Amino acid sequence: MRLVVYRYCESGADDSSPDSRLDAAEVVERLKADLLDSVTDGNADDSAPHGSGHGSGHGHTPSIEVKVYEDQAIAANPSHRPHLAQLLADNHHTPADYLWVNALAALGDSPAAVQQCLEALAQAGTAVRVGAEPAMAFATGTALANGLDPIAAMQDQQQRRQKRAGHARNRLQALPPPGKAPYGYRRGQERYLIDRTASPVITAFVNEFLLYGSLRGAVRFVERRFGKRIAVSTGQRWLSHPVYRGDLQYCDGQVIRNTHAAIISRDEAAQIDRLLRRNRPLPPRTAGASRSLAGLVQCHTCGSPMTVSTTTIRGKAQSYLYLRPTACPQQPRCRALAYDQVLQAVIADICHTLPQAVAQWQAHRADPNSAPPPNPFAQLQTQRQQRESALAQLPALVETGVLDAETAALRRYKLRGEITHIEQQIAQLPPVNLAELAPSVALPQFWLDLSEAERRFFFREFIRRIEIHRQGQEWQVNLMLVF
């Protein structure tokens, strides 16, 4: 007995049968067991009228020869099934008894193609089994019109496949994905164009976030100024979605850069990414707190984060700020510290520490052969140059016939996506103009002239954590920088 297995593997979720989630080995073993059971049952039925049932009438259990064919779907070319063509050619010379297929729609990209394939199998005397539970059997010569397979479901699956093929061709040409244009853009000239009536809302929202570093504050600002009420998640999407940076993001996760005009510049996008990354470990209310040290200070003795609290003296309008541990397990508890004293100590320490740290970081960053820890900037630059070199070689490979146009377009799409991912990683590194900023931020007056919101922004740009080290009644600060 000869069994042929054909699988058509798609990246989408249309193959919903249980067999589509099994590997080839599991499918083969299960089919062999099913066929052996059916043969054994048939032999038992044939021998039952002959008497004793001691096995004298049972036929010999046949051996099963198995051959597996498998095609990987190409979204831009749904008719690409070279192994199916090889299967039909082999089956014409050496017919199989059974063919198992994971879905009837896998036999072609249209009902006519499926019908033609079934007729070729029928002429060879091959029975078709479809991967349902239990497997649906097709007698030799079965046609689609007899209704054994849900024709409507198959046609719907093939239509979705054809739509995905069209979308895949658009991706290879870096055209916008289907659907409504995002807020701030409109469709035109086969790309996204800036909507001049809506884009000022996003621009004002981004500027407000960059100025104060508060997502919820920027959402409230847009409502006050423009009367537009948006959710915090919408504001988060405006800040982080690639489309507002001039890039296209597709359903497969690939991002292609510089496909249309950007509302958010590259420098602003890098700054936004760093701010969002700094705010991520902070509680939501702390990320937009009015005090610059909120969420940054931690007691080294007890390991508890320190929160900003306010107290007043009875009968006086003056209030006092101090930092106290939120969950100190010590007995007695670590005492609170005056906020202004800690702020002055932090400013003095950052003016002393930051220029030295920047000088060391710049020296390490400029040396691509630096010793461990590795230089992330140099590594990413090398990876980007390798991808760009491969991208530049594609036209020559097409001209010499090494690659066809379709394969080259797919490879170009993959390389552009990888370059985009690398450039996003480079943009998230500390800013390259740190050496220019260091002399300014090393002046205490620079920090004292800033408002609390502006000081909070710069603190979170440079400082990961502030630790308070205590020695009896004395204490000192230790800054943990982001680089």
Side-chain angles (χ1 to χ4, degrees):
M1 182 180 296
R2 189 166 184 269
L3 169 65
V4 174
V5 175
Y6 176 69
R7 288 168 53 84
Y8 185 70
C9 302
E10 298 184 85
S11 58
D14 286 336
D15 291 341
S16 57
S17 67
D19 294 298
S20 66
R21 296 185 294 271
L22 301 176
D23 58 25
E26 293 177 347
V27 169
V28 168
E29 291 302 322
R30 201 183 72 179
L31 288 173
K32 290 172 66 176
D34 290 345
L35 289 177
L36 288 175
D37 289 344
S38 63
V39 171
T40 303
D41 293 342
N43 290 338
D45 293 341
D46 293 340
S47 62
H50 298 286
S52 63
H54 291 290
S56 60
H58 287 265
H60 177 67
T61 301
S63 62
I64 300 179
E65 177 189 353
V66 180
K67 190 169 185 179
V68 179
Y69 297 82
E70 184 172 311
D71 278 320
Q72 187 67 38
I74 298 179
N77 186 11
S79 61
H80 180 76
R81 289 175 174 82
H83 290 94
L84 177 60
Q86 184 64 41
L87 184 156
L88 295 175
D90 294 345
N91 195 67
H92 178 72
H93 297 289
T94 309
D97 297 290
Y98 294 97
L99 167 67
W100 179 90
V101 61
N102 54 338
L104 193 60
L107 296 177
D109 60 336
S110 66
V114 174
Q115 179 66 51
Q116 183 179 2
C117 183
L118 286 176
E119 291 175 353
L121 293 169
Q123 291 176 1
T126 302
V128 181
R129 295 171 68 95
V130 180
E133 190 64 51
M136 181 181 295
F138 280 78
T140 303
T142 296
L144 290 180
N146 63 15
L148 287 177
D149 189 69
I151 303 301
M154 184 190 70
Q155 291 177 341
D156 183 61
Q157 180 181 356
Q158 291 175 335
Q159 288 175 359
R160 289 197 301 269
R161 186 182 297 159
Q162 291 172 356
K163 289 180 180 179
R164 287 201 306 271
H167 298 163
R169 286 190 290 268
N170 289 342
R171 288 198 298 271
L172 296 181
Q173 300 174 18
L175 297 178
K180 183 180 178 181
Y183 183 81
Y185 285 98
R186 58 183 177 84
R187 286 184 176 272
Q189 303 175 9
E190 294 187 340
R191 64 177 185 270
Y192 288 144
L193 303 177
I194 293 180
D195 187 349
R196 300 299 177 183
T197 61
S199 60
V201 179
I202 300 177
T203 302
F205 173 84
V206 170
N207 292 337
E208 183 73 9
F209 177 79
L210 290 175
L211 182 59
Y212 297 105
S214 174
L215 178 58
R216 285 171 170 78
V219 169
R220 291 190 293 268
F221 170 79
V222 167
E223 184 177 1
R224 286 196 310 269
R225 180 173 174 182
F226 298 97
K228 182 174 181 60
R229 180 176 298 179
I230 63 173
V232 175
S233 59
T234 301
Q236 177 86 16
R237 186 165 61 252
W238 287 358
L239 293 173
S240 58
H241 200 283
V243 72
Y244 296 105
R245 306 175 182 192
D247 308 332
L248 285 179
Q249 184 178 31
Y250 295 104
C251 60
D252 59 355
Q254 285 278 27
V255 177
I256 306 299
R257 286 171 70 92
N258 302 324
T259 56
H260 55 273
I263 297 178
I264 302 175
S265 67
R266 296 295 176 189
D267 292 338
E268 291 174 337
Q271 200 170 0
I272 287 171
D273 290 340
R274 291 196 299 272
L275 279 174
L276 293 176
R277 190 169 63 252
R278 304 290 182 266
N279 292 345
R280 192 172 296 124
L282 301 176
R285 294 181 63 184
T286 303
S290 57
R291 297 299 171 179
S292 57
L293 296 181
L296 294 176
V297 185
Q298 181 179 358
C299 180
H300 180 74
T301 303
C302 63
S304 171
M306 303 185 72
T307 184
V308 181
S309 300
T310 306
T311 187
T312 58
I313 299 178
R314 184 175 181 180
K316 294 185 178 181
Q318 187 177 4
S319 62
Y320 298 90
L321 294 175
Y322 59 94
L323 289 161
R324 62 175 180 83
T326 58
C328 180
Q330 305 270 346
Q331 291 296 334
R333 294 166 59 90
C334 297
R335 66 187 183 90
L337 303 176
Y339 180 87
D340 290 337
Q341 294 180 9
V342 177
L343 179 61
Q344 293 295 332
V346 170
I347 291 176
D349 198 1
I350 199 172
C351 291
H352 173 72
T353 306
L354 189 60
Q356 298 177 1
V358 169
Q360 295 176 359
W361 182 80
Q362 288 283 5
H364 184 71
R365 180 175 177 270
D367 183 11
N369 300 318
S370 57
N375 187 341
F377 181 80
Q379 290 181 348
L380 292 173
Q381 285 281 34
T382 302
Q383 294 176 11
R384 181 173 64 178
Q385 292 173 2
Q386 292 174 349
R387 268 65 171 188
E388 290 176 346
S389 176
L391 189 63
Q393 295 174 5
L394 290 180
L397 294 176
V398 174
E399 291 180 0
T400 56
V402 177
L403 296 177
D404 56 19
E406 183 177 340
T407 305
L410 182 60
R411 182 59 179 157
R412 185 181 299 108
Y413 171 74
K414 294 290 186 182
L415 288 172
R416 291 181 66 181
E418 292 174 2
I419 292 172
T420 299
H421 179 67
I422 294 172
E423 290 180 343
Q424 288 174 346
Q425 291 180 299
I426 293 176
Q428 293 176 6
L429 296 175
V432 296
N433 58 347
L434 277 177
E436 301 174 3
L437 293 175
S440 299
V441 300
L443 301 175
Q445 195 61 39
F446 167 81
W447 298 99
L448 296 175
D449 290 342
L450 298 176
S451 66
E452 275 288 85
E454 294 169 336
R455 196 181 297 126
R456 177 191 62 198
F457 171 83
F458 280 99
F459 276 167
R460 293 178 182 174
E461 183 77 11
F462 298 113
I463 301 174
R464 180 182 293 111
R465 187 171 67 253
I466 302 171
E467 293 183 348
I468 302 294
H469 291 256
R470 303 174 188 265
Q471 296 178 352
Q473 297 295 319
E474 301 296 327
W475 56 268
Q476 62 181 2
V477 297
N478 182 32
L479 304 184
M480 309 293 291
L481 302 179
V482 298
F483 51 88

